[in-house]
Amino acid sequence: MTKGKSTKLFIALAIFFTFLIPSIHAASAAETDPYLKKIQKNGELRVGLSADYPPYEFHQTIKGKDKIVGFDISIADKIAKDLKVKPVITEMNFESLLGALKTGKIDMIISGMSPTPEREKEVDFSDTYMRVDQKVIVRKVDQNKFKSTSDFQGVKVGAQKQTTQEELAQNELSGSTVMSLQKVPDIILNLTSNKIDAAVLEGPVADAYVSQNKALAYAKNVKFANGQKDTAIALPKGSTALQDKVNASIKDIKDSGALKKYQATANKQMFLEESFFQKYKDYFLKGTLYTILLAIVGVLFGSILGSLLALMKLSETRWLRWPASWYIEFVRGTPLLVQISIVFFGTQILGLNLSAFLSGCIALSLNSAAYVAEIIRAGISAVNKGQMEAARSLGMTRGTSMRYIILPQAVKNILPALGNEFVSVIKESSIVSVIGVGELMFVTGVVQGASFKPFIPLVITSLIYFVLTFGLSRLLGVAERRMKTSD
Ligand code: ARG
C-alpha cells in the first residue's frame, strides 16, 4: 500500500466512524425506544403534573377561563413543539405521577420533580433544568422560635407526600413529627390554622406563598445540609431516544434565556387581579356538574349490577350465591380509595387506556353495586315469609309470586334506602378526585392553590355538597310520603 492510499483509507475510516457509527447508534436507539415512536404516532405528548405548585404549575383564570400555567407548562409546550406534537396536560396528585408514568398513562412528568436514587430505580431523568434551595416557612408570630434545624424537637412539620421535602424534614429536622399531605394548599391551610407549626417547601413555592400571605414568614436561619435540589423531567425507563430529544430542548431553553422568560411570565401570572367569585365560579359550577354526573352514573349502573347481584345472592344455586356474596363482602370490606386506584391503574396494565372520569364512573358503579345488592336483598327478605307461602299455595310459581306478590311490597322498603345510597354516592364521589377527575373536591383543591386561599373554597364546597344532599333527601322524603298515601 502506498502512503497516499493509506492516508485516504484512514480518512475514509475516520469519516465512517464519526458519521456512520453514531447514526447507527441513533437509529437503533429510536428502534428500541417505543416511547418516542408512540408520541409521534399519536401526535400527542401527555405530560403529567400536580398543578398545586406555583410558580411551577398552577391553575389560573385567564379571561374567565381556567388554565394550568407556570414555567413547567412553558417547558412542556416547548418540548411538544420541538417534537412537532400537541401537548396534553394530565393533572393528578404528585404521589400518583410515578405510577402513571410507569403504567403508560402519561409520557413524561414535568412537575418540579427532583431526581433521587429511589426514583432513578423506577424512571429515567432528563438533564436538570433548575437547581433550587429548600426553605422552611412558619407563622410570622413564630418567626424567632426557629433558628436552626435543631429547634424542631416535637414540632409538627408539614410537607407534600412522597416528595424530597418530606424526606428532608424527616432526615434533617431532628425530633420533629412530619405530617405528609397530598396538596401544597393543604399544607398552608394546616399551617395557618395551627395544625402544624412549620412546613418544608421548595424555594420558589415558598416565595410564592410568603409573598401572598402576610401571616407567613421564612424561618430564615434554618439551613439544610442537603437543601439544594435539582429539578428535571422524568421519563420512562429506557426511553433513550426520547431522552435525547428532551435534553436538546432543555439545552435550548437554558442557552437562549427562554427559561428566565418563562419564570418571569409565571411570576406575573400568579398575581392576576379579579374578584374571587368572578374568577372561580366556573370551577365550582363545573365541579358540581361532574359530581352530579358521577353520582348518577354510579347509582344507575350500581343499581343494575346490584339487582343482578341481589338476585344471584337470593338464588338457590350455590354457584350463583357464592360469587355474589364474595363480591359484596370484598367491596364492602375494602376502602373505596383502594378500589378507585385499582380500576384506574389496573385497567392500564390490562392495556385499556381509560380516562380518569371513566375509571371513576366504573369504580363508583362497582362499589355502589355491592351496597345496592344488600339493600335489595334486605328489602326482599323483609317481606313476610307468609306472603311467598300464600302465593305458592295459590298455585303460583316461585317466579310469578316473586314478580307479582313479593317485589311490589319489597320496592317500598328498597326505594328509600336506594335514595340514601344516592346521597352517599354524591359524598363519596369526592374520593375520585385523587385520580384527577375534575369533580367538586378536585376543583376545590385547584381553587385553593390558585387563589392562595386555603379555607374559603372548602366552605363553599361543603355548602354545595350540603345543598345537593339535603335537596335530594327532601325530594326523596316527598316521594316516600306519596308512596305511603298510595297504599
Ligand atoms: N421537588 C419535590 C420532589 O421532587 C417536590 C415536587 C412537587 N411538585 C408538585 N408539582 N407538587 O419531590
Side-chain angles (χ1 to χ4, degrees):
M1 215 187 272
T2 65
K3 197 164 178 226
K5 263 192 187 156
S6 65
T7 337
K8 270 184 198 150
L9 188 69
F10 175 77
I11 292 174
L13 279 178
I15 292 174
F16 179 79
F17 278 109
T18 38
F19 289 103
L20 220 54
I21 299 286
S23 72
I24 288 173
H25 169 79
S28 64
E31 264 154 35
T32 52
D33 179 358
Y35 301 102
L36 179 60
K37 271 202 190 142
K38 190 172 155 210
I39 294 169
Q40 282 163 339
K41 195 177 129 244
N42 296 345
E44 262 183 16
L45 178 67
R46 294 166 306 158
V47 175
L49 48 77
S50 167
D52 60 346
Y53 223 50
Y56 291 72
E57 47 262 326
F58 55 103
H59 284 262
Q60 181 60 283
T61 314
I62 294 169
K63 298 194 188 96
K65 267 219 175 122
D66 168 44
K67 280 184 88 179
I68 298 179
V69 293
F71 56 76
D72 275 349
I73 308 297
S74 309
I75 295 173
D77 288 344
K78 158 81 176 156
I79 293 173
K81 200 174 145 225
D82 290 350
L83 292 172
K84 302 198 181 62
V85 294
K86 206 171 91 231
V88 177
I89 302 294
T90 307
E91 191 183 5
M92 62 189 79
N93 280 345
F94 188 75
E95 50 169 337
S96 307
L97 285 169
L98 282 179
L101 181 61
K102 285 185 66 178
T103 56
K105 284 258 167 206
I106 51 177
D107 301 315
M108 58 180 63
I109 303 170
I110 311 184
S111 196
M113 192 178 265
S114 319
T116 62
E118 297 81 53
R119 286 174 186 162
E120 268 159 355
K121 277 185 211 139
E122 316 282 322
V123 297
D124 283 345
F125 279 95
S126 69
D127 292 340
T128 63
Y129 57 91
M130 235 159 87
R131 190 171 174 76
V132 295
D133 232 347
Q134 309 298 311
K135 294 183 182 168
V136 176
I137 65 168
V138 295
R139 286 181 296 276
K140 195 167 227 155
V141 285
D142 296 340
Q143 206 174 3
N144 298 324
K145 276 198 209 156
F146 303 101
K147 295 203 173 64
S148 81
T149 48
S150 47
D151 289 342
F152 290 84
Q153 206 68 43
V155 172
K156 282 195 186 134
V157 179
Q160 190 170 26
K161 225 175 184 170
Q162 306 254 312
T163 61
T164 48
Q165 286 81 31
E166 181 188 41
E167 195 185 292
L168 211 53
Q170 279 159 353
N171 293 348
E172 294 199 27
L173 299 181
S174 44
S176 67
T177 313
V178 178
M179 302 262 296
S180 304
L181 298 159
Q182 247 156 14
K183 294 263 167 189
V184 176
D186 297 338
I187 302 173
I188 305 297
L189 177 58
N190 276 278
L191 181 58
T192 49
S193 56
N194 296 8
K195 295 269 190 311
I196 56 177
D197 299 308
V200 182
L201 294 179
E202 201 109 42
V205 179
D207 297 342
Y209 277 97
V210 169
S211 66
Q212 273 291 303
N213 196 327
K214 287 186 197 66
L216 300 176
Y218 302 108
K220 270 196 229 89
N221 301 321
V222 180
K223 292 268 183 286
F224 292 109
N226 292 309
Q228 289 271 317
K229 299 277 181 210
D230 284 325
T231 315
I233 297 171
L235 302 162
K237 260 238 163 307
S239 57
T240 40
L242 180 60
Q243 196 176 24
D244 288 345
K245 297 260 186 203
V246 169
N247 284 341
S249 301
I250 291 180
K251 184 168 176 341
D252 204 17
I253 293 168
K254 278 173 75 183
D255 291 351
S256 68
L259 186 58
K260 291 252 157 55
K261 268 186 229 143
Y262 295 166
Q263 282 172 289
T265 319
N267 285 334
K268 229 185 281 153
Q269 279 169 330
M270 280 192 310
F271 306 118
L272 286 180
E273 285 300 334
E274 256 181 302
S275 83
F276 185 86
F277 187 70
Q278 206 182 16
K279 234 170 154 175
Y280 302 115
K281 69 170 191 305
D282 286 351
Y283 290 75
F284 288 109
L285 218 65
K286 213 171 126 211
T288 309
L289 284 179
Y290 264 102
T291 292
I292 294 175
L293 206 63
L294 276 169
I296 291 177
V297 172
V299 170
L300 196 72
F301 287 96
S303 301
I304 296 172
L305 187 63
S307 316
L308 218 81
L309 284 169
L311 290 181
M312 283 168 75
K313 207 173 163 179
L314 287 169
S315 118
E316 262 147 23
T317 3
R318 195 193 302 156
W319 299 115
L320 289 174
R321 224 165 45 227
W322 279 10
S325 299
W326 276 109
Y327 178 84
I328 294 169
E329 289 307 326
F330 181 77
V331 171
R332 296 204 308 169
T334 50
L336 179 56
L337 182 57
V338 176
Q339 295 163 10
I340 288 170
S341 308
I342 288 181
V343 171
F344 186 56
F345 295 118
T347 48
Q348 191 70 34
I349 288 170
L350 293 179
L352 302 167
N353 190 5
L354 300 187
S355 68
F357 179 71
L358 205 57
S359 306
C361 286
I362 294 176
L364 278 178
S365 305
L366 289 176
N367 177 273
S368 183
Y371 291 89
V372 170
E374 276 306 274
I375 290 170
I376 294 178
R377 189 198 55 76
I380 292 175
S381 311
V383 176
N384 195 326
K385 252 202 183 136
Q387 297 283 324
M388 179 58 104
E389 280 158 18
R392 295 300 296 274
S393 65
L394 285 176
M396 290 186 184
T397 62
R398 204 178 129 86
T400 7
S401 10
M402 198 48 151
R403 180 142 166 233
Y404 294 105
I405 309 294
I406 308 294
L407 280 183
Q409 300 182 65
V411 163
K412 293 221 164 113
N413 307 326
I414 292 170
L415 279 186
L418 214 53
N420 290 337
E421 173 61 16
F422 203 163
V423 170
S424 343
V425 175
I426 290 181
K427 290 184 289 178
E428 272 168 14
S429 67
S430 60
I431 301 177
V432 303
S433 60
V434 295
I435 55 170
V437 179
E439 47 65 74
L440 203 42
M441 196 57 214
F442 185 82
V443 299
T444 310
V446 169
V447 175
Q448 285 177 311
S451 66
F452 297 94
K453 291 196 170 56
F455 193 62
I456 296 173
L458 284 176
V459 177
I460 297 176
T461 297
S462 67
L463 286 177
I464 298 177
Y465 273 120
F466 181 71
V467 168
L468 288 180
T469 54
F470 187 70
L472 184 64
S473 12
R474 274 293 136 111
L475 226 68
L476 290 168
V478 172
E480 219 173 300
R481 251 170 283 136
R482 285 256 170 88
M483 237 159 48
K484 281 232 174 73
T485 46
S486 78
D487 263 352

